[in-house]
Amino acid sequence: MKRLSSLYHFLAYTLIVCFVLFSSCADAERKSHQEKVERPEFVFLVHGGAGVFHPDQLPEGREQEYLDAVEEALSIGEEILSSGGSAMDAVEKAIIFLEDQPFLNAGKGSVFTAEGTNELDASIMDGKTMNAGAVGGVTTVKNPITAARKVMEQSPHVFMVGAGAEQFAASVGCEIVDPSHFYTQERFDALMRVQEANPSPEDNRGTVGAVALDRYGNLAAGTSTGGMTNKRFGRVGDSPIIGAGTYADNNGCAVSCTGHGEFFIRYTVAHDLNAKLKYQVTTLETAANEIIHHKLKEAGGSGGLIAVDKDGNYTMPFNTNGMIRGVVTPEYREVAVY
Ligand code: ASP
């Protein structure tokens, strides 16, 4: 009798152990399935600069031009990402398009230095490999973002500036143009206004950027700019500085910033966001808001950022009255200025 009862106990115990094991396996399976389902196939964001936007002070039709440019840049990234292309390609190709728009402060249409020249900065980072490339103060490279990618892929360096960067860009096949290619009357007039101490609030707005999460879970970020109107020649802002204006890390997020570069450099904004996400219990949105709306704003730094994390969460905070921006996923699309 006693033997029978221990047999029952043994059987009951075995059943309970099997049940617990089975349900935790099923739970793990469900969770990993959910993760796969929850992370969108791709997420792509672009910006065309943060700043002060007064609808009545913009040239006629300008707001629509901003929105159309963002739509087109999103479509470029969307096409690449939805057909299985890489986050790096989506970021570079969309930024090339934005650099070619004369009304955005990057590539053609860049703002002028105090000496009446255009000095362009750009950077790109691959979150999969943690490789990065950047160029600063270039005056003849039509698409600085491509030169930045070439620095990453075809040189042992991360950051090249001035004549050396231009010579390198030419040697690896980047399109070289006469500096006059970057001239636009509108930007020159802005320089004149600033130098006559009569600036319009819009005169300093600009920079373009993109961040992407591709279907393989890889993140990438890129930023390109003409900098700030009336900057001293030789001044470099945050945009080409890895960790300040641009950062991407597959274990954290991809970030592209825009705004008063000196503040973004001092507060290493892009890396700070990634670090907060990796080392603190917080969400991308909370961390980005804390940096843009508190840390930076309280220090006197104006601007914004776009970011996407490894799970496909994204955010686009800014502490100015506008930021030209947009996002696309397989299910959602949005473009906005204010
Ligand atoms: N961050 C850029 C710079 O300081 C300018 C901008 O984004 O408006 O060069």
Side-chain angles (χ1 to χ4, degrees), residues 260-281:
H260 196 149
E262 280 67 11
F263 289 86
F264 283 75
I265 295 172
R266 288 198 286 259
Y267 288 84
T268 54
V269 168
H271 182 264
D272 191 26
L273 178 57
N274 188 60
K276 277 184 191 299
L277 205 62
K278 273 173 75 170
Y279 307 131
Q280 290 182 0
V281 184

Side-chain angles (χ1 to χ4, degrees), residues 50 105 204-207 225 227-228 235 237-239 258-262:
N105 176 19
N204 258 329
R205 188 188 48 238
T207 295
T225 190
M228 296 180 77
R235 177 265 188 190
D238 60 312
S239 308
T258 168
H260 196 149
E262 280 67 11

